[in-house]
Amino acid sequence: MHRTRGISQRLKCQPADTHSPFSDKVFLPPSFLSALLDSEGGGMQELPSPITVRIAPSNACCGVRGFDAEEGTVRVPVGMLEQIDNDGVGGDNSNSMVTVEYVRLEKGEFARLRSLESEKNKERGQNEEVGNLRGLLESHMRSNLTVLFLGEIVRFPVGGRREPLSFEVVALEPASAVDIIDVDLTVDIVDSGQSTQIGGSASVSAGDKLALDAPQPLDIEVASGATHVMPLLIPPQADAVDIVLECDPGHDASLVASRLLRDVSEIDNDWSDCSAPSQSRKNLRVERTQLPDAACTIYVGVVVAAADATTAPAFKGKVSAVSAKRAQSSDADVSEPEDGIDGSSLVCANCRTSVPKANYDMHSLFCQRHNTRCEGCGAVLKRNSAEAANHWHCAVCSEPGVVGDEAKHSRLHHTPCVCACGGGSEEASFESALEMAEHRRTDCALRLIECRYCRLGVAQGPHAGSAEARMLGMREHEWTCGSRTITCARCNAYVRIQHVATHMQMHDFQDRQRRANMVHCANKRCDRERAAGNPLGLCAACYGPLYSNAWDPGYQKLLKRLTRMLFAQITQGCGKGGCTNREYCAAGLSESEAAARIVPIVRAYAPLANPAAAGGRPNIDYDSIDLRLCSV
């Protein structure tokens, strides 16, 4: 339970102009801050963090962003205003009077949230997958929420979706309203039936999955004005994939696909074939270069627009996906037929076909009598035929087709559209839906991307103001997400996440430079760096078994220890399984043969035994010594 401190004011609700309408942080007047500081006789030395309040008569609790609201008012984000209405204030909450009371909440330990997506999809007749629910939800809670309370509807937008994702808080511990700042909160997400836990992604029924290289195409039926979405798993070995939609006679739909976006449409997609209804076969080609190297899932949608609906109650067709070879560029030149080089044939002026010269006059008379040539597109049609009567050209762009193509062509090519992303506070206008579709898949701030740092599907946001961000091809979200710092495990320096790769390249360069300039251990079976001041020229690891703190000014005792180690190693072995030091480890030599092999090595260290050299540095060529100690 939360504990009140006796600080409350009667204030008028006003909508807050914040960057996130789904935040739960309100703006209070300065008098509320004064009352907070003067509480308990001025005993409050510093403000608590976070500051949380309850808005009565509802049970809605929220955080505080600032104390710059006008006196007598509280500025509340739009999403929070709707939440207050859901909790019983009723009507439009703008300008309504509420009681804002300061409360201290217990730290949250556990929260169960119920996804409302399944209910919405049932109402729309769709079976839609919504990706990484847990990651998206926790990212939103970390950035925008201060408090959770029972019955709260948590909403947040996802790039490319027309509606925000919605979750209802159904259980909390240890109280009915908890503070979620700087806590280790366990979040449990369940579906609309409160029985199935959702982990990384929502489930999709097996019947709605499109299989690659399936023996039979998938029969689908889609209601007018609806979209049928099917996930398609593409393995890493597939060079390219052809997705084909065969429309039944009298039916038409658009075939679209997206790599991240589940709520695909004719406007929101990565690949689309929105060809005219006269073309019953729709085809999409997805190249491997457009996908990550690993296996990935794309989302294929069949869109049936209400404006294109036929008299049939629902669209019917077949969808298939087959592996294909990567597209090869073709330099084939397609041109109109020319007269025969040898003069044996001529091109008909009406139908533009090549005709033998001997038959040209007869063909020309027959063709002029029975065929007509469209001046707009050059199509040859039979006179007074149904094909000629059904032939059509757009009055705006002269695009050819049939009369039945006009409605869809006008809707997609000549109907102005407005994108909600805008440029600043203005909305972006486009002359056609296809122009806006190209904008939505490239430059739109609402375009869904997979952030290279947090690995979540988020809106890419507007262009970042930094020149470095533009040079790196980052939009606002990735620039902000990559600007967080972590500690380098090698040098303990604070490094921006976006600079980690470059920072590690610097370490790799330093390692390569150090290895290039490194003086190696005199042991030919060791690649470590030679220890400074080591009389035998060994590294610290190889010299360790030979070290002694006994007084040895002429290194005579050291050379005796080295001799004994080599002799035991050659005659008895090092005792390590799998040792490959065959010539100097249990080599099967007699004692005299072993001594003959050791003498040149010890003799090379003879300058160490000279007492005159004890105070100076003996001149020894360590690289010429064939010392092969078993690796330590």
Side-chain angles (χ1 to χ4, degrees):
M1 298 295 293
H2 48 267
R3 305 181 295 275
T4 63
R5 303 294 294 269
I7 304 172
S8 64
Q9 288 187 1
R10 188 76 172 167
L11 303 172
K12 180 188 293 185
C13 268
Q14 295 288 345
D17 183 17
T18 64
H19 69 285
S20 175
F22 300 99
S23 171
D24 72 345
K25 300 177 177 64
V26 301
F27 295 86
L28 296 173
S31 59
F32 198 97
L33 175 61
S34 300
L36 193 62
L37 293 174
D38 294 339
S39 64
E40 299 180 357
M44 185 177 290
Q45 300 297 324
E46 59 182 18
L47 289 175
S49 179
I51 301 175
T52 52
V53 296
R54 184 173 71 92
I55 300 180
S58 69
N59 291 322
C61 296
C62 54
V64 178
R65 183 176 293 275
F67 295 91
D68 56 355
E70 296 181 1
E71 288 296 337
T73 65
V74 53
R75 299 209 312 269
V76 184
V78 176
M80 202 66 197
L81 280 175
E82 298 174 356
Q83 185 64 50
I84 295 173
D85 180 38
N86 291 338
D87 284 336
V89 173
D92 185 3
N93 291 290
S94 298
N95 299 319
S96 61
M97 299 300 296
V98 296
T99 300
V100 180
E101 179 185 11
Y102 169 65
V103 295
R104 292 297 299 269
L105 302 179
E106 298 183 58
K107 294 291 184 180
E109 299 175 359
F110 172 81
R112 176 177 289 119
L113 286 82
R114 179 170 64 96
S115 172
L116 302 181
E117 291 303 308
S118 299
E119 294 180 352
K120 292 183 179 180
N121 292 335
K122 289 177 182 178
E123 294 173 1
R124 293 189 300 224
Q126 298 181 14
N127 187 7
E128 178 186 3
E129 185 183 1
V130 186
N132 191 350
L133 288 175
R134 182 176 300 278
L136 293 170
L137 175 62
E138 291 180 354
S139 176
H140 171 74
M141 292 171 57
R142 187 167 52 247
S143 304
N144 297 282
L145 299 185
T146 307
V147 173
L148 287 178
F149 57 91
L150 285 179
E152 178 181 6
I153 305 298
V154 179
R155 299 185 181 92
F156 58 94
V158 176
R161 285 178 55 91
R162 291 181 288 273
E163 298 178 3
L165 295 177
S166 301
F167 298 85
E168 180 184 3
V169 181
V170 296
L172 287 172
E173 292 180 6
S176 59
V178 295
D179 168 15
I180 61 172
I181 300 297
D182 296 331
V183 297
D184 186 11
L185 183 69
T186 302
V187 179
D188 185 18
I189 306 175
V190 297
D191 64 7
S192 58
Q194 297 188 9
S195 59
T196 305
Q197 182 173 349
I198 301 175
S201 61
S203 60
V204 178
S205 63
D208 288 329
K209 291 184 179 179
L210 183 61
L212 186 63
D213 295 326
Q216 296 294 333
L218 180 64
D219 291 319
I220 61 171
E221 183 172 337
V222 188
S224 175
T227 301
H228 188 78
V229 182
M230 300 158 286
L232 170 63
L233 177 63
I234 301 180
Q237 62 271 18
D239 287 341
V241 174
D242 282 330
I243 306 169
V244 180
L245 170 64
E246 293 284 356
C247 304
D248 288 0
H251 296 264
D252 179 63
S254 296
L255 181 62
V256 297
S258 175
R259 191 168 72 89
L260 295 175
L261 193 63
R262 282 78 173 174
D263 199 4
V264 289
S265 67
E266 291 174 326
I267 292 178
D268 295 314
N269 58 69
D270 292 324
W271 305 273
S272 66
D273 184 351
C274 302
S275 51
S278 57
Q279 301 181 20
S280 60
R281 181 184 176 91
K282 320 290 183 181
N283 184 77
L284 295 179
R285 166 154 290 208
V286 180
E287 300 282 354
R288 169 53 61 185
T289 54
Q290 300 171 304
L291 299 172
D293 295 334
C296 67
T297 299
I298 67 172
Y299 300 88
V300 181
V302 177
V303 183
V304 181
D308 299 334
T310 63
T311 55
F315 166 84
K316 294 183 180 180
K318 300 178 183 295
V319 184
S320 60
V322 295
S323 301
K325 294 295 184 182
R326 186 171 292 127
Q328 302 292 332
S329 60
S330 175
D331 298 330
D333 182 20
V334 180
S335 59
E336 291 190 357
E338 300 180 356
D339 293 343
I341 298 177
D342 57 355
S344 61
S345 62
L346 297 173
V347 176
C348 176
N350 188 46
C351 66
R352 305 302 297 169
T353 58
S354 182
V355 181
K357 190 174 183 179
N359 301 334
Y360 180 78
D361 292 338
M362 183 181 298
H363 170 85
S364 180
L365 291 174
F366 181 88
C367 189
Q368 292 287 347
R369 182 183 303 164
H370 293 88
N371 299 329
T372 180
R373 181 182 174 88
C374 176
E375 298 296 334
C377 62
V380 179
L381 308 168
K382 281 191 175 184
R383 292 181 182 275
N384 302 322
S385 64
E387 182 183 7
N390 199 32
H391 190 66
W392 164 84
H393 278 272
C394 175
V396 179
C397 64
S398 300
E399 177 76 16
V402 299
V403 175
D405 297 343
E406 182 177 3
K408 185 174 182 179
H409 177 84
S410 299
R411 178 174 60 82
L412 293 179
H413 291 267
H414 304 299
T415 301
C417 295
V418 177
C419 182
C421 71
S425 59
E426 299 179 358
E427 295 181 323
S429 300
F430 299 90
E431 294 183 356
S432 69
L434 294 184
E435 283 189 15
M436 190 170 80
E438 181 64 23
H439 161 76
R440 291 295 288 265
R441 68 171 67 101
T442 54
D443 196 56
C444 181
L446 299 179
R447 176 181 174 235
L448 188 66
I449 63 170
E450 183 179 8
C451 176
R452 68 187 79 177
Y453 303 117
C454 66
R455 313 309 299 177
L456 296 177
V458 295
Q460 66 179 354
H463 289 285
S466 169
E468 182 183 0
R470 291 178 177 268
M471 181 182 68
L472 297 175
M474 295 183 188
R475 301 296 282 262
E476 183 182 41
H477 171 83
E478 286 191 326
W479 178 253
T480 303
C481 191
S483 296
R484 295 175 295 156
T485 60
I486 60 174
T487 303
C488 176
R490 296 190 59 178
C491 63
N492 292 326
Y494 289 101
V495 184
R496 286 185 179 183
I497 297 178
Q498 59 190 246
H499 295 159
V500 167
T502 306
H503 184 78
M504 296 310 297
Q505 288 177 358
M506 180 196 69
H507 281 303
D508 292 341
F509 175 77
Q510 292 175 344
D511 291 342
R512 290 195 299 270
Q513 190 177 37
R514 182 180 59 83
R515 285 193 296 268
N517 301 326
M518 183 176 68
V519 180
H520 288 275
C521 175
N523 182 9
K524 295 299 187 291
R525 296 183 54 81
C526 177
D527 59 355
R528 302 184 186 93
E529 186 175 8
R530 185 180 301 172
N534 192 309
L536 299 180
L538 300 175
C539 65
C542 294
Y543 185 67
L546 298 170
Y547 173 77
S548 174
N549 59 0
W551 174 250
D552 189 14
Y555 300 108
Q556 296 179 5
K557 296 179 181 179
L558 174 62
L559 293 177
K560 289 181 180 179
R561 290 195 297 273
L562 175 63
T563 303
R564 288 195 297 268
M565 175 182 286
L566 287 172
F567 188 81
Q569 179 180 292
I570 294 174
T571 56
Q572 302 174 15
C574 63
K576 299 174 183 176
C579 181
T580 59
N581 190 9
R582 296 178 180 177
E583 296 181 1
Y584 287 84
C585 182
L589 302 178
S590 63
E591 294 184 357
S592 58
E593 291 173 336
R597 186 167 292 184
I598 296 172
V599 166
I601 299 174
V602 178
R603 186 174 295 169
Y605 287 110
L608 293 176
N610 187 358
R617 186 172 185 85
N619 185 16
I620 300 176
D621 185 8
Y622 294 106
D623 294 334
S624 64
I625 302 175
D626 191 22
L627 179 61
R628 297 180 182 273
L629 297 174
C630 294
S631 300
V632 178

